[in-house]
């Protein structure tokens, strides 16, 4: 798998694009993420804040990016200082001297200098742009900074009169992926697709959910994506009907379907794939009948994934197929139009058709148009998931032969000028193709 990399010039360009949208006398503060305690003196693996990473590509905790478009020193970074002892124990640090060249910022200071320097940078500006409510300690810090500036008119200090949320502008930028992001997401998708193939190949009746999870994570890690983008869902039988099941503890019985919703994080970007397959390699008649409905619903939704369409149209296409399918199997009764009008599918398909995908698995970007009245239209460069499902557990009042079947089929697509490009096509989803892959793995 070739190395993936976003050139520093691209981060410079993103910062330029953000600053170009700001009114005069603005200042922007974007904090990095902090390390989080997992237990006692151990930490969770560090994950950078997506906004900070989008604008810097800098992967250390305890940092702050300040943008001040009107100033000569327009881009300032505060970061951890070099510290031999700390670096021997905890890891290398970039440090302020290297930061200026490496990250192509105008100036860099240590966090110890933040009080004095930031007061200077914010003083006299009229609008402070900041992700309010994201980090409690920074919220308090910003609050106190403004308070301090308000108390110093005799020293010539002037606090910004307006605080605005910078996320609106950044979300809109992040919604459209550039060529570098698309290249990374293509790799993340391919790598995740291969992991799903591996799980199909390694499955057998009696295997534990966590063992299939391990096959998935093994394939991620050995290809350079050390971590999943979210907690992997591996649910056999009834567990597949729990949408965000992550206990992954049970043995999967012969004859059960297994649903795996898992994607890697590569260079910060998420893939998000779901496949459902029979643990013994062969779909039962009931499983195949329901699976085929979900598959056709997904194809119907994907046909609506093109410029000018939207999530609502894709969802309606899938819902029509699911409702028709459940009606034809006798799971729903009535007139098709009435059933569709009354959302009769909802007890069997309780989630939406998909979501934006990017640095976050449920990525940022408004689903409404800016006027709030309509769903926004798909445009080239957006990346999203399409993931219809059908879930029937033993609480559904239907013929018990349908019980404990949970199916979801999820792919990642990028909107192109003429339609869409499927990023996750390397893992099969047609019934024959899945059974063939599993049979040939057994034979080998
Ligand atoms: Mn998803």
């Amino acid at each position: 798998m070739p190395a993936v990399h976003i050139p520093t010039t691209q981060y410079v360009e993103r910062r330029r694009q953000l600053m170009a949208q700001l009114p005069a006398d603005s200042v922007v503060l974007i904090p990095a993420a902090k390390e989080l305690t997992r237990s006692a003196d151990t930490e969770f693996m560090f994950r950078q804040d997506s906004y900070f990473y989008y604008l810097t590509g800098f992967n250390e905790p305890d940092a702050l990016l300040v943008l001040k478009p009107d100033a000569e020193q327009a881009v300032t970074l505060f970061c951890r200082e070099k510290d031999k002892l700390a670096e021997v124990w905890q890891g290398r640090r970039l440090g302020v001297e290297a930061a200026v060249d490496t990250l192509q910022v105008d100036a860099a200071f240590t966090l110890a200098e933040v009080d004095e320097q930031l007061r200077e940078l914010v003083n006299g500006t009229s609008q402070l742009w900041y992700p309010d409510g994201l980090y409690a300690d920074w919220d308090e810090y910003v609050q106190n900074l403004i308070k301090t500036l308000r108390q110093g008119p005799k020293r010539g200090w002037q606090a910004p009169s307006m605080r605005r949320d910078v996320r609106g502008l950044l979300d809109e930028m992040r919604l459209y992926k550039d060529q570098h992001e698309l290249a990374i997401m293509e790799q993340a998708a391919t790598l995740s697709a291969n992991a799903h193939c591996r799980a199909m190949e390694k499955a057998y009746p009696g295997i534990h959910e966590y063992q299939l999870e391990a096959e998935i994570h093994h394939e991620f890690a050995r290809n350079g994506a050390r971590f999943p983008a979210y907690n992997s869902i591996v649910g056999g039988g009834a567990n597949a009907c729990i949408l965000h099941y992550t206990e992954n503890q049970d043995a999967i019985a012969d004859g059960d379907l297994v649903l795996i919703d898992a994607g890697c994080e590569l260079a910060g970007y998420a893939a998000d794939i779901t496949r459902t397959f029979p643990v013994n390699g062969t779909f039962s008649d009931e499983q195949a009948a329901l699976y085929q409905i979900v598959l056709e619903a997904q194809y119907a939704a994907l046909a609506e994934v093109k410029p000018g369409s939207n999530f609502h149209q894709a969802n309606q296409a899938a819902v029509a197929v699911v409702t028709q399918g459940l009606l034809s199997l006798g799971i729903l009764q009535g007139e098709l139009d009435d059933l569709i009008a009354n959302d009769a599918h909802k007890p069997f398909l309780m989630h939406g058709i998909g979501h934006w995908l990017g640095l976050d698995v449920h990525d940022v970007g408004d689903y409404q148009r800016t006027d709030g009245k309509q769903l926004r239209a798909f445009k080239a460069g957006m990346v999203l998931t399409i993931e219809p499902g059908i879930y029937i557990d033993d609480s559904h009042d239907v013929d018990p032969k349908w019980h404990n079947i949970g199916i979801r089929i999820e792919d990642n697509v990028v909107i192109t000028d003429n339609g869409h490009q499927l990023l996750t096509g390397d893992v099969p989803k047609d019934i024959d193709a899945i059974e063939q892959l599993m049979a040939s793995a057994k034979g080998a």
Side-chain angles (χ1 to χ4, degrees), residues 261 272 355 362 385 387 410:
D261 184 341
D272 181 6
H355 52 84
H362 295 163
T385 69
E387 46 179 311
E410 175 177 29

Side-chain angles (χ1 to χ4, degrees), residues 29-349:
L29 311 185
I30 308 278
K34 284 196 171 307
E35 286 190 292
L36 293 175
T37 300
R38 182 169 185 272
S39 169
D41 61 351
T42 63
E43 278 112 31
F44 285 106
M45 280 306 298
F46 177 69
R47 170 55 159 77
Q48 186 56 283
D49 176 86
S50 294
Y51 294 108
F52 183 88
Y53 193 73
Y54 181 76
L55 291 171
T56 62
F58 184 45
N59 205 26
E60 288 186 23
D62 303 324
L64 177 74
L65 177 71
V66 182
L67 304 178
K68 199 172 172 183
D70 302 331
E72 195 149 315
Q73 181 189 309
V75 181
T76 306
L77 182 84
F78 294 90
C79 62
R80 304 184 298 185
E81 58 191 320
K82 295 291 282 181
D83 178 335
K84 185 72 190 153
L85 186 64
E87 291 185 57
V88 165
W89 281 86
Q90 288 142 18
R92 295 186 183 92
R93 298 175 172 188
L94 182 62
V96 290
E97 269 156 51
V100 174
D101 272 350
T102 307
L103 304 174
Q104 292 184 29
V105 297
D106 297 325
F109 299 97
T110 67
L111 268 180
E113 299 167 281
V114 75
D115 289 348
E116 197 183 332
Q117 293 293 334
L118 196 58
R119 197 174 59 224
E120 284 302 312
L121 285 164
V122 173
N123 181 28
T125 58
S126 58
Q127 298 193 15
L128 176 72
W129 296 74
Y130 167 75
D132 242 329
L134 200 49
Y135 299 105
D137 52 345
W138 278 111
D139 284 354
E140 197 185 331
Y141 189 90
V142 168
Q143 199 87 295
N144 286 332
L145 173 67
I146 290 174
K147 208 161 120 189
T148 304
L149 286 172
R150 281 199 185 121
Q151 285 164 351
K154 285 180 188 159
R155 293 183 236 190
W157 291 348
Q158 193 198 328
S161 55
M162 201 187 289
R163 258 168 83 172
R164 300 182 65 177
D165 199 319
V166 69
R167 281 171 290 192
L169 298 174
L170 284 170
D171 291 354
E172 197 64 18
M173 289 172 66
R174 283 174 55 187
L175 183 54
Y176 300 93
K177 275 65 181 177
D178 62 43
Q179 50 162 334
H180 306 286
E181 294 178 292
L182 290 176
I184 292 172
M185 293 189 76
E186 217 166 303
Q187 282 195 31
T190 301
L191 204 160
S192 301
N194 293 341
H196 279 265
C197 290
R198 184 186 176 96
M200 289 179 189
E201 289 166 354
K202 298 285 184 183
Y204 56 85
I207 194 170
H208 284 77
E209 293 162 345
Y210 55 78
Q211 291 175 306
L212 283 178
E213 181 182 30
E215 298 294 348
I216 292 266
H217 292 186
H218 171 86
E219 191 67 17
F220 289 170
R222 75 188 198 89
N223 287 297
R226 282 182 63 205
F227 304 105
Y230 53 95
N231 292 329
S232 301
I233 297 167
V234 182
N239 293 341
C241 298
I242 302 167
L243 296 180
H244 289 162
Y245 172 81
T246 53
E247 288 161 302
N248 301 357
Q249 280 302 312
D250 294 345
I252 307 167
D254 196 1
D256 276 350
L257 285 182
V258 53
L259 181 155
I260 301 183
D261 184 341
C264 73
E265 182 175 283
L266 186 68
Y269 288 83
D272 181 6
I273 302 178
T274 308
R275 286 293 185 270
T276 310
F277 59 89
V279 75
N280 65 13
T282 310
F283 285 86
S284 73
D285 291 346
E286 288 78 17
Q287 291 165 352
L290 288 170
Y291 187 93
Q292 195 59 29
I293 295 169
V294 178
L295 185 61
E296 281 163 21
Q298 205 221 22
Y299 283 130
L302 284 170
E304 292 297 327
V305 177
K306 55 192 177 191
S309 187
N310 59 41
F311 272 116
H312 179 69
Q313 278 172 241
N315 189 56
Q316 288 304 101
V319 163
V321 173
V322 166
T323 310
Q324 168 70 64
L326 293 174
L327 181 62
S328 69
L329 294 179
I331 293 172
L332 289 175
Q333 285 101 32
E335 290 295 320
L336 180 61
D337 292 347
D338 296 340
L339 292 170
I340 290 176
N342 296 324
D343 287 336
H345 68 283
K346 279 271 168 77
F348 304 93
L349 169 52

